[in-house]
Every structure is written in structure tokens, then in C-alpha cells.
Amino acid sequence: AAKATLESKEFKLIHSMQLNNAEYAGPLIAVLLYMYSQGVEANDACLFLIVGSLIHMWITTMFGNVFGLVVPLGAGMRYYGMLLLVFALKEMTSKDVGQFSAVNIARYERVAVPE
């Protein structure tokens, strides 16, 4: 019974989704905690990361890769969210803070961090 479970299509799909999620969760949490500790909000990046992860993990797990679009859509949103985080970090650490603001690639604002 265990061998049949391990070889089933459903198990392999869920297992691969869990591994994929685990690859990204740690680094993303570290970057987001760092940004929070610096008082930086990256709302757009967080939105893309959350929605992309939900689509990639949960929709794929529940319904499969519908029409071959779910996995690329979820992964693409997650990659775009990571790109926005990179621009927010670059802007945050840049000497010229307004460098990317005109392009509006990564909107963020300094906020007071609760003590």
C-alpha cells in the first residue's frame, strides 16, 4: 500500500509542490523580515508573492495544471514579486533613494516600525 501511494500521480504532484514551496519560503521570509526591520513596505511585491504562491501551490495541487497555464502563471507572479523585492532592496540601500521611483517599478514607503 505504501509503495502504491508513493508511486501515485497525486503523491508525486503534492510532493513536488511542497518541495518547490520549501525552496522559496526560507529566503523570502528572510528578505521580508529584513525589510520589515528596516521599516520598508513593498506592498506590490508581497501581493505578487502571495497570490503567485497560492496559485502555484494550492490551485495546482487541487486541480492540476489546468490547460498548462496554472504553473507558469503562479511561478511567473512569484518571480515578478521577487523582482520587485530586488528593486525595493536596491532602492532602499541606494544612496540616491529616488532612483527607481520615477519608473515606479517597486513602490514602497518608509513606515514606523512598532517597538
Side-chain angles (χ1 to χ4, degrees):
K3 186 176 181 180
T5 301
L6 292 174
E7 293 176 356
S8 71
K9 182 180 177 182
E10 294 83 11
F11 177 82
K12 289 179 180 180
L13 174 67
I14 292 171
H15 180 67
S16 69
M17 290 292 110
Q18 287 176 332
L19 286 175
N20 187 276
N21 189 49
E23 289 174 3
Y24 288 95
L28 289 175
I29 290 171
V31 169
L32 292 172
L33 286 174
Y34 173 73
M35 290 177 71
Y36 177 77
S37 74
Q38 299 301 307
V40 175
E41 284 188 11
N43 296 330
D44 295 344
C46 291
L47 177 68
F48 277 97
L49 288 169
I50 291 169
V51 172
S53 293
L54 288 173
I55 289 172
H56 191 266
M57 174 80 179
W58 290 105
I59 302 298
T60 305
T61 301
M62 289 189 294
F63 303 109
N65 191 10
V66 182
F67 302 117
L69 297 174
V70 174
V71 170
L73 176 65
M77 289 181 76
R78 195 166 53 183
Y79 294 146
Y80 186 65
M82 288 187 282
L83 179 66
L84 292 177
L85 281 181
V86 168
F87 283 122
L89 285 169
K90 171 67 177 158
E91 188 170 341
M92 181 183 85
T93 58
S94 174
K95 291 179 183 175
D96 180 18
V97 177
Q99 183 177 357
F100 290 103
S101 294
V103 185
N104 198 21
I105 293 175
R107 287 188 323 206
Y108 79 89
E109 55 189 83
R110 290 234 171 232
V111 295
V113 176
E115 295 181 20

